Amino acid sequence: MKTPRDLVSWVRGHPLVPGGRRARTAGMVLLALLAVGSGTAVTVDRIQALPAGAVFRVGDTTLTEQQLGDRVTLLKAMYFVRQPADPAGLDTFRRDSAKAVAVSQVLENVAKSRNIVIADKTANDELTAGLEKQFPQGRDAFMAKMAAVGVTERAIVDEIKRQLANNQLFDQVTKDVPAPTDQELAQAYEQHRAEMAVPEKRHLRNMVFRTEEQAKQARGQLDGGTDFAALAKQVSLDDTTRDKGGELGTVPREPLEPAYANAAFTAAPNSVFGPVRTPQGWNVGQVLEVTPAVPLALDQIKPQLQAWLFRERKVDAFNRWLAEQIRAAHVRYSDAYRPADPDAAPPGAPVGAPK
């Protein structure tokens, strides 16, 4: 089970009227994490029979280092996975990537054994739906961006087919899981009553810089009385907010980068904060207004709470089933790619679990 914080974050992010299946799968396809096998255990049979350049063997499939590299390139491009630069972090990343792709292969083999087949058209429709929501520049621009980093359209469609097959596996495995009772919902609510609230929101402005020194200079100007919106229009690198004076709108903490959220949600109203480093650059922000959190009664949050508990129950059932499949597959890794904890599960829900 997840922590109370995870529960509350999930409940807050889901509207009372749930989205349809297309919204769920399309969103999952473009936002899935690299840990394809999250919540599973992998039994490893270390042998010397793998050929040179091999990463692992699952059944009749042997994955080479080149193939793993291509898959990781695809996942980094589609899901914004970041590769560590330090040697120790890079070694862990390489081993975890091998484990993730191995579990993905196990799932693919099980899907085939159950005659789960995803048509190219279905995958293309899901890709188009996801891009309409998350990449307004359009499909051609997205494909050009992928091609620039060595990812083909065929590879993208195949990845989406794997994810959609996992959706069907999840639905098949968990179809008989019982829904939580009213008593269980009431108990969960009482356990986390203090956290059940519409989250605090803050009206923010922001500007982005290439270097910390540039951000510090802007902060100095703001501290000296320069108008934030006027300065943002002149110097911010963020072309999506620059012309609006750095306007981010009124937002909760959860969607923000952690470091930025910590700074923004500890700053006083009508104050400036930063510089704060995020993947986009060095940021200087301003808090214009604070909307306090509002407690929610059980009746107000019951549909989301029920959905969350039902999801967790299904994820637990699926993970137990998947662990059995992986043990039966006898995944074999080469020493250079053997995970440090092959029998431990990384945190999170498996691909195929409803978001």
Side-chain angles (χ1 to χ4, degrees):
M1 292 291 289
K2 297 202 180 300
T3 65
R5 181 180 296 275
D6 294 322
L7 183 153
V8 174
S9 296
W10 189 88
V11 166
R12 289 171 178 167
H14 287 67
L16 292 176
V17 180
R21 181 176 181 84
R22 177 175 294 277
R24 184 191 73 175
T25 55
M28 176 276 296
V29 165
L30 290 179
L31 295 179
L33 299 178
L34 176 61
V36 176
S38 294
T40 68
V42 179
T43 300
V44 179
D45 181 5
R46 298 179 64 192
I47 62 171
Q48 302 300 321
L50 290 177
V55 174
F56 64 74
R57 177 182 294 154
V58 178
D60 296 331
T61 300
T62 299
L63 192 86
T64 67
E65 292 179 326
Q66 179 62 52
Q67 290 170 323
L68 178 63
D70 291 343
R71 186 74 175 275
V72 170
T73 297
L74 167 69
L75 295 173
K76 287 194 295 185
M78 289 185 68
Y79 307 140
F80 314 108
V81 174
R82 307 184 106 199
Q83 182 171 305
D86 63 289
L90 186 59
D91 181 69
T92 299
F93 178 85
R94 184 178 66 249
R95 294 172 187 272
D96 288 347
S97 298
K99 180 177 176 179
V101 177
V103 174
S104 176
Q105 185 62 51
V106 171
L107 287 167
E108 187 172 341
N109 292 347
V110 175
K112 289 179 180 178
S113 73
R114 293 186 173 214
N115 297 317
I116 294 176
V117 178
I118 307 297
D120 281 1
K121 182 180 184 305
T122 302
N124 274 296
D125 288 346
E126 291 293 338
L127 175 59
T128 299
L131 290 175
E132 287 176 354
K133 293 182 178 181
Q134 301 178 44
F135 202 82
Q137 296 91 328
R139 181 168 179 142
D140 289 345
F142 177 78
M143 290 304 172
K145 185 176 181 180
M146 294 297 102
V149 294
V151 175
T152 66
E153 183 170 355
R154 179 71 261 169
I156 294 170
V157 171
D158 286 343
E159 175 64 16
I160 294 173
K161 290 171 71 172
R162 281 188 287 266
Q163 304 298 340
L164 296 178
N166 289 346
N167 277 350
Q168 290 193 26
L169 275 175
F170 184 90
D171 289 342
Q172 287 183 11
V173 171
T174 64
K175 64 183 176 65
D176 295 326
V177 172
T181 64
D182 286 345
Q183 182 178 356
E184 289 169 329
L185 292 176
Q187 182 179 6
Y189 176 81
E190 289 300 325
Q191 288 175 344
H192 310 297
R193 178 191 289 268
E195 300 157 281
M196 294 295 176
V198 175
E200 175 185 324
K201 296 182 180 180
R202 295 196 164 205
H203 184 185
L204 303 175
R205 287 175 178 162
N206 188 63
M207 58 182 82
V208 183
F209 301 90
R210 185 170 291 105
T211 68
E212 183 179 15
E213 183 58 33
Q214 292 171 337
K216 287 181 176 179
Q217 290 177 2
R219 174 65 188 267
Q221 291 178 264
L222 295 170
D223 291 342
T226 300
D227 179 73
F228 191 102
L231 185 60
K233 290 179 181 180
Q234 295 174 12
V235 300
S236 178
L237 296 179
D238 186 358
D239 55 10
T240 62
T241 64
R242 182 178 55 236
D243 293 341
K244 298 182 290 184
E247 181 69 37
L248 289 181
T250 301
V251 296
R253 172 188 286 265
E254 279 75 12
L256 303 174
E257 289 284 338
Y260 187 87
N262 288 338
F265 277 75
T266 55
N270 301 310
S271 69
V272 175
F273 61 91
V276 183
R277 190 173 188 178
T278 70
Q280 290 71 42
W282 287 92
N283 299 260
V284 175
Q286 182 183 39
V287 180
L288 295 176
E289 186 180 4
V290 176
T291 303
V294 178
L296 293 170
L298 175 57
D299 288 345
Q300 292 176 289
I301 205 167
K302 187 175 179 178
Q304 298 109 306
L305 184 59
Q306 182 179 43
W308 188 87
L309 289 175
F310 198 18
R311 169 188 180 273
E312 287 301 288
R313 186 170 288 179
K314 287 187 173 187
V315 166
D316 288 344
F318 184 83
N319 284 341
R320 290 192 298 271
W321 170 85
L322 184 52
E324 295 173 359
Q325 305 306 309
I326 295 168
R327 283 192 293 270
H330 300 296
V331 181
R332 298 173 175 179
Y333 293 95
S334 66
D335 284 344
Y337 289 90
R338 183 177 185 270
D341 57 348
D343 294 317
V351 167
K355 302 298 181 183

